């Protein structure tokens, strides 16, 4: 095996540090807390340190992208045998998607459904998250991965830890 010349160590090390820094700072930093709702029910709240939702969810989003975002966010709160895709369900994302759908209400075929889901989530109401997930899943022609129940706070935290960069 050949040795790397001393002259190349500094550039190699510099590239490694820069690449590592990019990966570290580009990750989504998510903070998770279990809070008690006014009803006494335990709820998992996910908060993001840096939010790039405007670029992540531009007003020019196509309807399929809105569907996929709602679907991926709902995975955090439902139990299903299979889940493909994960996106932190945060207040910032819900608010931004709500604005995007309101701006495109006349263009999106299923805008009423998206608005109903997002307005409910925006108020912190996840009572119908299984129905919400399965409605989007059906629109997408789902055959595997139908939600069978709401995740407990413990199951939700496990999903978050497995899928997001959690603090």
């Amino acid at each position: 095996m050949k040795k790397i010349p001393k002259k190349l160590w500094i550039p190699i090390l510099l590239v490694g540090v820069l690449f590592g820094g990019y990966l570290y700072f580009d990750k989504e930093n998510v903070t998770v807390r279990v809070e008690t709702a006014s009803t006494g029910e335990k709820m998992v709240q996910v908060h993001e340190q840096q939010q790039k939702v405007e670029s992540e969810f531009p007003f020019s989003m196509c309807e399929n992208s809105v569907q996929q975002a709602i679907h991926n966010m709902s995975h955090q709160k439902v139990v299903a045998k299979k889940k493909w895709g994960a996106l932190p369900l945060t207040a910032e994302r819900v608010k931004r998607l709500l604005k995007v759908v309101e701006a495109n209400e006349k263009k999106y075929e299923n805008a009423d459904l998206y608005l109903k889901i997002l307005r409910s989530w925006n108020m912190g109401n996840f009572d119908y998250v299984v129905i919400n997930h399965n409605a989007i899943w059906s629109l997408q022609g789902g055959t595997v991965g139908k939600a069978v129940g709401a995740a407990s706070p413990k199951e939700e935290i496990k999903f978050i830890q497995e899928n997001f960069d959690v603090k």
Side-chain angles (χ1 to χ4, degrees):
M1 191 159 134
K2 289 185 177 183
K3 283 189 173 183
I4 298 174
K6 289 182 182 179
K7 290 180 183 180
L8 292 178
W9 273 110
I10 291 176
I12 290 171
L13 188 59
L14 184 60
V15 168
V17 168
L18 289 173
F19 184 71
Y22 169 78
L23 290 177
Y24 177 78
F25 290 109
D26 194 50
K27 279 187 176 178
E28 219 156 15
N29 290 312
V30 178
T31 304
V32 180
R33 287 187 296 210
V34 177
E35 299 174 358
T36 305
S38 58
T39 60
E41 181 183 359
K42 297 285 184 194
M43 291 178 34
V44 176
Q45 291 292 320
V46 180
H47 302 279
E48 294 179 277
Q49 299 294 325
Q50 289 185 306
Q51 194 51 258
K52 299 183 254 181
V53 291
E54 288 183 16
S55 60
E56 187 177 12
F57 299 146
F59 284 112
S60 60
M61 277 180 85
C62 69
E63 184 166 3
N64 288 339
S65 295
V66 170
Q67 274 182 17
Q68 196 59 50
I70 293 170
H71 188 190
N72 287 350
M73 287 191 299
S74 72
H75 284 164
Q76 179 178 314
K77 297 220 174 256
V78 299
V79 174
K81 286 189 179 184
K82 294 277 185 184
K83 296 180 192 179
W84 291 281
L87 193 59
L89 199 167
T90 65
E92 296 84 1
R93 281 198 169 94
V94 170
K95 282 179 176 60
R96 179 60 180 190
L97 271 179
L98 189 52
K99 288 179 184 178
V100 169
V101 174
E102 287 170 345
N104 292 288
E105 194 170 351
K106 297 200 181 341
K107 280 181 17 184
Y108 295 164
E109 186 178 333
N110 297 289
D112 290 344
L113 174 63
Y114 313 141
L115 290 171
K116 184 177 177 182
I117 293 169
L118 293 167
R119 286 178 178 148
S120 175
W121 291 0
N122 193 42
M123 293 187 306
N125 181 354
F126 298 98
D127 293 344
Y128 301 100
V129 72
V130 173
I131 293 167
N132 300 157
H133 171 277
N134 290 340
I136 299 295
W137 177 81
S138 290
L139 282 177
Q140 295 179 323
T143 57
V144 175
K146 185 174 184 177
V148 295
S152 69
K154 193 174 188 175
E155 291 168 318
E156 188 174 348
I157 289 170
K158 182 178 181 218
F159 180 84
I160 290 165
Q161 289 172 334
E162 289 173 352
N163 290 280
F164 312 126
D165 181 25
V166 180
K167 286 187 176 181

